[in-house]
Amino acid sequence: MFGRKNKDESAEMKPAKTQKTANLKKLEDLYYAAENARKNAYAPYSDFKVGAALLVRPNEDSVLPVNKIYTGVNIENGSYGATLCAERVAFAKAISDGVLNYDIGQNPFIAIAVSAGEEEALPCGICRQFMSEFAPEITVVTKADKQIRLRNLTQLLPESFQLNKDGITEFPVGEAEGTAEDPEIPGTIEETATPDVADAPEESAEPAETEEQTE
């Protein structure tokens, strides 16, 4: 039946909508923190400056303040292999600050925002693998066409490499869809299609024929 929603139903929906708006505002602010950090990037060779902002959620017993943000920038080097990406710098700062020790039993990493100025910049392959070690389902925040975009790391790096370690809890990986563990952070709002892969032709198992040599 079409018609106006009753007052009780409207009252139940309002808090959820308000919460979603607050979550998106939080992630938008995280992106601007990355954009602000970008001015400190050291990129004399490529002139491609990147800033990152990592949102950390402490548990109830943590000595960290709520929703602490660690920023990072890309730091280039004349020996190109020594260059550091903004995302890894942000994670390294958080880990060296003891975040993993403070939050034992809970993944503290909620989201990471990446800014490269006017153009959208997604984490490179090394950074995706690096982040999957600590937060395989982290939300990645970028901006394109003046719109904030959210992706789950499992979308950007499906079937990531995970080295089994005794005594370490394994995180689920390889999911094409997923949501962040924190109920205050919205799930992925942008899906990426996985192309169908054609079956590779079977190779013949029969050995090639050779002529016998006679004296």
Side-chain angles (χ1 to χ4, degrees):
M1 177 179 179
F2 295 98
R4 293 182 302 175
K5 297 179 181 178
N6 58 53
K7 294 182 179 180
D8 293 337
E9 186 178 355
S10 299
E12 291 178 357
M13 296 179 63
K14 187 174 181 180
K17 183 176 181 180
T18 302
Q19 182 65 51
K20 183 176 181 180
T21 301
N23 293 336
L24 293 176
K25 179 63 168 60
K26 182 187 298 183
L27 294 178
E28 187 175 22
D29 290 343
L30 186 67
Y31 176 82
Y32 290 127
E35 193 173 70
N36 186 58
R38 179 175 169 268
K39 65 178 182 292
N40 295 324
Y42 177 75
Y45 304 103
S46 70
D47 198 33
F48 185 72
K49 297 184 177 182
V50 181
L54 176 63
L55 182 61
V56 175
R57 168 197 56 194
N59 60 28
E60 295 179 355
D61 300 325
S62 176
V63 300
L64 288 174
V66 176
N67 292 340
K68 182 174 176 62
I69 294 176
Y70 288 91
T71 59
V73 297
N74 60 321
I75 305 172
E76 295 184 347
N77 192 282
S79 175
Y80 291 165
T83 294
L84 297 175
C85 295
E87 299 91 326
R88 283 181 281 156
V89 170
F91 263 86
K93 287 169 68 174
I95 294 170
S96 65
D97 201 27
V99 168
L100 294 182
N101 294 331
Y102 295 152
D103 297 85
I104 293 176
Q106 172 180 295
N107 191 336
F109 304 112
I110 303 174
I112 185 166
V114 185
S115 171
E118 295 298 325
E119 57 184 301
E120 182 180 27
L122 291 168
C124 70
I126 293 177
C127 284
R128 297 181 193 193
Q129 176 60 41
F130 184 92
M131 293 189 293
S132 72
E133 175 79 11
F134 308 100
E137 293 188 340
I138 194 170
T139 297
V140 178
V141 184
T142 60
K143 188 176 183 180
D145 300 325
K146 299 182 180 180
Q147 296 292 327
I148 294 296
R149 295 186 176 183
L150 309 179
R151 297 178 179 85
N152 191 290
L153 182 57
T154 55
Q155 287 180 281
L156 299 178
L157 186 65
E159 304 296 340
S160 65
F161 174 79
Q162 296 288 320
L163 182 63
N164 295 329
K165 303 174 185 177
D166 294 335
I168 301 296
T169 302
E170 293 186 15
F171 294 97
V173 297
E175 298 290 339
E177 299 179 358
T179 57
E181 294 179 1
D182 191 331
E184 296 183 356
I185 299 299
T188 301
I189 62 174
E190 184 169 303
E191 300 294 339
T192 55
T194 302
D196 294 330
V197 179
D199 295 333
E202 296 182 359
E203 295 182 0
S204 174
E206 298 180 2
E209 296 183 0
T210 57
E211 297 181 359
E212 295 183 0
Q213 296 182 353
T214 57
E215 295 182 357

